[in-house]
Amino acid sequence: MQLSVIILNYNVRYFLEQCVLSVEKAIQNLEAEIIVVDNHSSDDSCAMMRARFPHIRLIENKANVGFPKGNNIAVKEAKGEYICILNPDTVVAEDTFEKILNSQLPTPNAQLGILGCKLIDGTGNFLPESKRSIPTPWVAFTKIFGLYKIFPKSGVCNQYYAQHLAENQSGEVDILVGAFMVMKRELYIELGGFDEDCFMYADDIDLSYRALLQGKKNYYFVDTTVIHYKGESTVKDGTYMKRFQEAMNFFYQKHFKVSHFFSFFMKIGILFFSLVKRFQGKVPPKPAPEKYLLVSDNEAIQEKLTAVLQKSVERTAIENGKIVISQTISKSKPTEVILDVDYLGFKKAMAFLEENKNKSLTFKLLPPSSSFIIGSNSSNDRGEVIQI
């Protein structure tokens, strides 16, 4: 078997369903398997999996055992030469895994460590944590005090997000994000998997770093793009920054000499971040859509959405390979674009998000043969599901 895709779920039933649907499309030309591990969700994630995907291996833990242990349990059951650690709040393209496995990186390459790819959020914007550097005390300091934003062109201050590589430039990086990691199963086992003592936000840093210590090279691969609805797992508030501090402290205690100086400045950074957030206030949400545009060839879906949303739903199709949005739509009142994945496919839907990012539009996907639309207007807030 070429590949085992491992999805660890906790209480994101609809995101999980969409994720599994996208993975099924992406492995249809491969010898591959999907393993879903549920960390004792209180929603109906497991019932959904049994009803909609009875052919997929489902491991139901009796408690929330955390991210590291949950993935370690699944890898023990995996049969693929390669494994992909995948968040449930992600969407992969139909050719994601084929592009990776058919690239020059995996075979033959004895030095290959962990491979990550370009991640975007539900608005089509690039997620900079797709590629990172080793968080030395100085690098972590520049992150928590936001120096990388103040001095974006400084080689001294912009190391955290591995800015030696551009967003669309493949190459070696130190640290990859746990939302999407591909590696040989043999390497994962050799490294001992994720450290089950890890604090949140340190597990992927720790695993990436241990691969480097083994003489492996980690890669950022831009020939495929994956959506990560990051707000489902990471809301950036004071709690996030506190956990970031704990993660860095864990990483340093494990791999470097403990620095009380570093811990002191991290605490100062947490205080600074909290004060900034207090004065800034919450970022106002985007206005609720007043109009909807459905990209589909299915008139019945248009009628159903009109009834559920109780607002105007216009419909457009692909012309000459492109989705055409009229000037009246793009310049009108707040508009949400609903992308019928049965019609477009996941890859074209993602490309549309990227092409139309930062415009006065919001987006939702209608997954194949599903009774809901799903999306997120910010990488800092949780997404929205509307049943139809």
Side-chain angles (χ1 to χ4, degrees), residues 12-64:
V12 286
R13 171 252 189 271
Y14 291 100
F15 285 94
L16 173 65
E17 182 174 347
Q18 177 175 240
C19 177
V20 173
L21 287 167
S22 73
V23 174
E24 282 196 318
K25 295 281 187 183
I27 65 171
Q28 58 188 355
N29 298 323
L30 299 171
E31 289 293 327
E33 64 178 350
I34 302 170
I35 301 175
V36 173
V37 184
D38 185 79
N39 262 349
H40 200 54
S41 294
S42 57
D43 62 10
D44 64 343
S45 293
C46 291
M48 179 277 295
M49 285 298 304
R50 288 191 294 268
R52 181 148 197 192
F53 307 104
H55 54 287
I56 289 179
R57 177 73 189 279
L58 173 64
I59 300 173
E60 298 182 54
N61 290 330
K62 302 302 180 185
N64 184 357

Side-chain angles (χ1 to χ4, degrees), residues 7 12 34 41 46 89 95 99 122 143 202 286 293 325 329:
I7 305 169
V12 286
I34 302 170
S41 294
C46 291
D89 56 346
D95 60 357
K99 279 197 168 184
K143 155 70 173 172
K286 288 191 176 183
L293 177 67
I325 300 181
I329 288 286

Side-chain angles (χ1 to χ4, degrees), residues 127-162:
L127 289 172
E129 63 271 18
S130 302
K131 53 183 181 65
R132 290 172 289 173
S133 299
I134 299 170
T136 62
W138 170 251
V139 171
F141 179 84
T142 63
K143 155 70 173 172
I144 203 166
F145 279 92
L147 298 183
Y148 69 99
K149 293 181 180 178
I150 300 171
F151 306 106
K153 295 183 179 180
S154 167
V156 175
C157 296
N158 67 5
Q159 297 176 53
Y160 186 83
Y161 289 121

